[in-house]
mmCIF file of all heavy atoms in Angstrom:
data_model
loop_
_atom_site.group_PDB
_atom_site.id
_atom_site.type_symbol
_atom_site.label_atom_id
_atom_site.label_comp_id
_atom_site.label_asym_id
_atom_site.label_seq_id
_atom_site.Cartn_x
_atom_site.Cartn_y
_atom_site.Cartn_z
ATOM 1 N N SER B 284 11.134 11.223 14.170
ATOM 2 C CA SER B 284 11.277 10.125 13.211
ATOM 3 C C SER B 284 12.362 10.432 12.178
ATOM 4 O O SER B 284 12.998 9.526 11.652
ATOM 5 C CB SER B 284 9.947 9.806 12.535
ATOM 6 O OG SER B 284 9.772 10.615 11.398
ATOM 7 N N ILE B 285 12.567 11.729 11.901
ATOM 8 C CA ILE B 285 13.684 12.120 11.031
ATOM 9 C C ILE B 285 14.993 11.678 11.678
ATOM 10 O O ILE B 285 15.861 11.094 11.029
ATOM 11 C CB ILE B 285 13.709 13.662 10.855
ATOM 12 C CG1 ILE B 285 12.471 14.156 10.138
ATOM 13 C CG2 ILE B 285 15.001 14.117 10.180
ATOM 14 C CD1 ILE B 285 12.545 14.058 8.655
ATOM 15 N N GLY B 286 15.102 11.936 12.977
ATOM 16 C CA GLY B 286 16.306 11.519 13.704
ATOM 17 C C GLY B 286 16.440 10.004 13.730
ATOM 18 O O GLY B 286 17.527 9.462 13.542
ATOM 19 N N LEU B 287 15.322 9.323 13.957
ATOM 20 C CA LEU B 287 15.334 7.860 14.008
ATOM 21 C C LEU B 287 15.840 7.271 12.697
ATOM 22 O O LEU B 287 16.448 6.215 12.659
ATOM 23 C CB LEU B 287 13.911 7.324 14.251
ATOM 24 C CG LEU B 287 13.335 7.436 15.659
ATOM 25 C CD1 LEU B 287 11.910 6.919 15.687
ATOM 26 C CD2 LEU B 287 14.184 6.647 16.636
ATOM 27 N N LYS B 288 15.528 7.975 11.605
ATOM 28 C CA LYS B 288 15.824 7.476 10.282
ATOM 29 C C LYS B 288 17.258 7.804 9.854
ATOM 30 O O LYS B 288 17.819 7.147 8.996
ATOM 31 C CB LYS B 288 14.855 8.167 9.304
ATOM 32 C CG LYS B 288 14.242 7.239 8.326
ATOM 33 C CD LYS B 288 13.204 7.958 7.506
ATOM 34 C CE LYS B 288 12.247 8.823 8.295
ATOM 35 N NZ LYS B 288 11.080 9.253 7.559
ATOM 36 N N THR B 289 17.793 8.886 10.445
ATOM 37 C CA THR B 289 19.125 9.340 10.036
ATOM 38 C C THR B 289 20.149 8.253 10.335
ATOM 39 O O THR B 289 20.129 7.654 11.394
ATOM 40 C CB THR B 289 19.489 10.616 10.798
ATOM 41 O OG1 THR B 289 18.445 11.545 10.616
ATOM 42 C CG2 THR B 289 20.789 11.210 10.277
ATOM 43 N N SER B 290 21.003 8.020 9.372
ATOM 44 C CA SER B 290 21.966 6.951 9.549
ATOM 45 C C SER B 290 23.378 7.512 9.400
ATOM 46 O O SER B 290 23.667 8.273 8.484
ATOM 47 C CB SER B 290 21.677 5.880 8.498
ATOM 48 O OG SER B 290 22.856 5.295 8.059
ATOM 49 N N PHE B 291 24.225 7.141 10.343
ATOM 50 C CA PHE B 291 25.622 7.540 10.226
ATOM 51 C C PHE B 291 26.454 6.396 9.650
ATOM 52 O O PHE B 291 27.666 6.509 9.530
ATOM 53 C CB PHE B 291 26.188 7.929 11.596
ATOM 54 C CG PHE B 291 25.590 9.184 12.138
ATOM 55 C CD1 PHE B 291 25.083 9.234 13.427
ATOM 56 C CD2 PHE B 291 25.528 10.335 11.353
ATOM 57 C CE1 PHE B 291 24.524 10.396 13.925
ATOM 58 C CE2 PHE B 291 24.975 11.503 11.856
ATOM 59 C CZ PHE B 291 24.464 11.527 13.145
ATOM 60 N N ALA B 292 25.764 5.300 9.330
ATOM 61 C CA ALA B 292 26.474 4.088 8.905
ATOM 62 C C ALA B 292 27.374 4.382 7.707
ATOM 63 O O ALA B 292 28.488 3.899 7.630
ATOM 64 C CB ALA B 292 25.477 2.994 8.575
ATOM 65 N N ALA B 293 26.845 5.190 6.772
ATOM 66 C CA ALA B 293 27.593 5.425 5.542
ATOM 67 C C ALA B 293 28.506 6.650 5.651
ATOM 68 O O ALA B 293 29.106 7.070 4.674
ATOM 69 C CB ALA B 293 26.624 5.607 4.387
ATOM 70 N N MET B 294 28.582 7.221 6.859
ATOM 71 C CA MET B 294 29.368 8.455 7.006
ATOM 72 C C MET B 294 30.854 8.172 6.761
ATOM 73 O O MET B 294 31.430 7.258 7.331
ATOM 74 C CB MET B 294 29.138 9.014 8.427
ATOM 75 C CG MET B 294 29.807 10.355 8.693
ATOM 76 S SD MET B 294 29.389 11.635 7.479
ATOM 77 C CE MET B 294 27.904 12.325 8.193
ATOM 78 N N ASN B 295 31.431 8.957 5.860
ATOM 79 C CA ASN B 295 32.870 8.823 5.614
ATOM 80 C C ASN B 295 33.428 10.208 5.305
ATOM 81 O O ASN B 295 32.677 11.196 5.324
ATOM 82 C CB ASN B 295 33.128 7.855 4.457
ATOM 83 C CG ASN B 295 32.327 8.233 3.228
ATOM 84 O OD1 ASN B 295 32.129 9.416 2.951
ATOM 85 N ND2 ASN B 295 31.855 7.242 2.501
ATOM 86 N N GLY B 296 34.688 10.267 5.031
ATOM 87 C CA GLY B 296 35.334 11.554 4.799
ATOM 88 C C GLY B 296 34.639 12.350 3.704
ATOM 89 O O GLY B 296 34.357 13.544 3.872
ATOM 90 N N LYS B 297 34.311 11.673 2.616
ATOM 91 C CA LYS B 297 33.730 12.372 1.482
ATOM 92 C C LYS B 297 32.337 12.922 1.826
ATOM 93 O O LYS B 297 32.017 14.068 1.526
ATOM 94 C CB LYS B 297 33.636 11.405 0.305
ATOM 95 C CG LYS B 297 33.295 12.106 -1.000
ATOM 96 C CD LYS B 297 33.358 11.137 -2.163
ATOM 97 C CE LYS B 297 33.034 11.826 -3.471
ATOM 98 N NZ LYS B 297 32.958 10.869 -4.581
ATOM 99 N N LEU B 298 31.548 12.059 2.469
ATOM 100 C CA LEU B 298 30.193 12.492 2.825
ATOM 101 C C LEU B 298 30.257 13.645 3.823
ATOM 102 O O LEU B 298 29.479 14.597 3.749
ATOM 103 C CB LEU B 298 29.403 11.310 3.413
ATOM 104 C CG LEU B 298 27.918 11.554 3.656
ATOM 105 C CD1 LEU B 298 27.214 11.935 2.361
ATOM 106 C CD2 LEU B 298 27.252 10.316 4.252
ATOM 107 N N PHE B 299 31.201 13.568 4.738
ATOM 108 C CA PHE B 299 31.361 14.618 5.733
ATOM 109 C C PHE B 299 31.710 15.942 5.034
ATOM 110 O O PHE B 299 31.100 16.987 5.313
ATOM 111 C CB PHE B 299 32.459 14.221 6.722
ATOM 112 C CG PHE B 299 32.630 15.204 7.840
ATOM 113 C CD1 PHE B 299 31.679 15.293 8.852
ATOM 114 C CD2 PHE B 299 33.730 16.071 7.866
ATOM 115 C CE1 PHE B 299 31.825 16.212 9.871
ATOM 116 C CE2 PHE B 299 33.871 16.989 8.890
ATOM 117 C CZ PHE B 299 32.922 17.063 9.897
ATOM 118 N N ALA B 300 32.643 15.862 4.104
ATOM 119 C CA ALA B 300 33.024 17.059 3.344
ATOM 120 C C ALA B 300 31.819 17.584 2.565
ATOM 121 O O ALA B 300 31.576 18.795 2.503
ATOM 122 C CB ALA B 300 34.165 16.729 2.388
ATOM 123 N N PHE B 301 31.020 16.657 2.002
ATOM 124 C CA PHE B 301 29.832 17.066 1.266
ATOM 125 C C PHE B 301 28.870 17.831 2.175
ATOM 126 O O PHE B 301 28.327 18.872 1.799
ATOM 127 C CB PHE B 301 29.126 15.845 0.663
ATOM 128 C CG PHE B 301 27.867 16.198 -0.059
ATOM 129 C CD1 PHE B 301 27.926 16.696 -1.355
ATOM 130 C CD2 PHE B 301 26.627 16.073 0.559
ATOM 131 C CE1 PHE B 301 26.766 17.052 -2.031
ATOM 132 C CE2 PHE B 301 25.465 16.435 -0.111
ATOM 133 C CZ PHE B 301 25.536 16.920 -1.403
ATOM 134 N N CYS B 302 28.670 17.309 3.387
ATOM 135 C CA CYS B 302 27.750 17.962 4.334
ATOM 136 C C CYS B 302 28.192 19.403 4.603
ATOM 137 O O CYS B 302 27.374 20.327 4.605
ATOM 138 C CB CYS B 302 27.701 17.195 5.651
ATOM 139 S SG CYS B 302 26.850 15.627 5.510
ATOM 140 N N ILE B 303 29.467 19.580 4.852
ATOM 141 C CA ILE B 303 29.991 20.915 5.153
ATOM 142 C C ILE B 303 29.773 21.845 3.946
ATOM 143 O O ILE B 303 29.247 22.966 4.088
ATOM 144 C CB ILE B 303 31.507 20.848 5.493
ATOM 145 C CG1 ILE B 303 31.749 19.899 6.672
ATOM 146 C CG2 ILE B 303 32.065 22.245 5.775
ATOM 147 C CD1 ILE B 303 31.197 20.363 7.984
ATOM 148 N N CYS B 304 30.128 21.337 2.750
ATOM 149 C CA CYS B 304 29.955 22.156 1.551
ATOM 150 C C CYS B 304 28.477 22.447 1.294
ATOM 151 O O CYS B 304 28.114 23.553 0.872
ATOM 152 C CB CYS B 304 30.540 21.445 0.338
ATOM 153 S SG CYS B 304 32.322 21.293 0.442
ATOM 154 N N PHE B 305 27.640 21.452 1.554
ATOM 155 C CA PHE B 305 26.201 21.606 1.364
ATOM 156 C C PHE B 305 25.684 22.800 2.163
ATOM 157 O O PHE B 305 24.948 23.651 1.654
ATOM 158 C CB PHE B 305 25.502 20.312 1.805
ATOM 159 C CG PHE B 305 24.002 20.345 1.739
ATOM 160 C CD1 PHE B 305 23.341 20.055 0.546
ATOM 161 C CD2 PHE B 305 23.232 20.658 2.853
ATOM 162 C CE1 PHE B 305 21.961 20.066 0.479
ATOM 163 C CE2 PHE B 305 21.849 20.684 2.791
ATOM 164 C CZ PHE B 305 21.215 20.387 1.600
ATOM 165 N N VAL B 306 26.099 22.875 3.419
ATOM 166 C CA VAL B 306 25.642 23.968 4.288
ATOM 167 C C VAL B 306 26.156 25.310 3.760
ATOM 168 O O VAL B 306 25.391 26.278 3.632
ATOM 169 C CB VAL B 306 26.101 23.741 5.746
ATOM 170 C CG1 VAL B 306 25.766 24.954 6.610
ATOM 171 C CG2 VAL B 306 25.456 22.490 6.312
ATOM 172 N N ILE B 307 27.452 25.350 3.406
ATOM 173 C CA ILE B 307 28.037 26.612 2.934
ATOM 174 C C ILE B 307 27.353 27.076 1.648
ATOM 175 O O ILE B 307 26.940 28.236 1.522
ATOM 176 C CB ILE B 307 29.567 26.454 2.714
ATOM 177 C CG1 ILE B 307 30.238 26.174 4.069
ATOM 178 C CG2 ILE B 307 30.165 27.698 2.060
ATOM 179 C CD1 ILE B 307 31.686 25.761 3.959
#
Side-chain angles (χ1 to χ4, degrees):
Chain B
S284 87
I285 296 277
L287 284 177
K288 225 174 314 194
T289 307
S290 145
F291 292 130
M294 184 54 88
N295 52 36
K297 191 174 181 186
L298 188 59
F299 184 73
F301 178 80
C302 289
I303 303 293
C304 293
F305 177 85
V306 173
I307 295 170

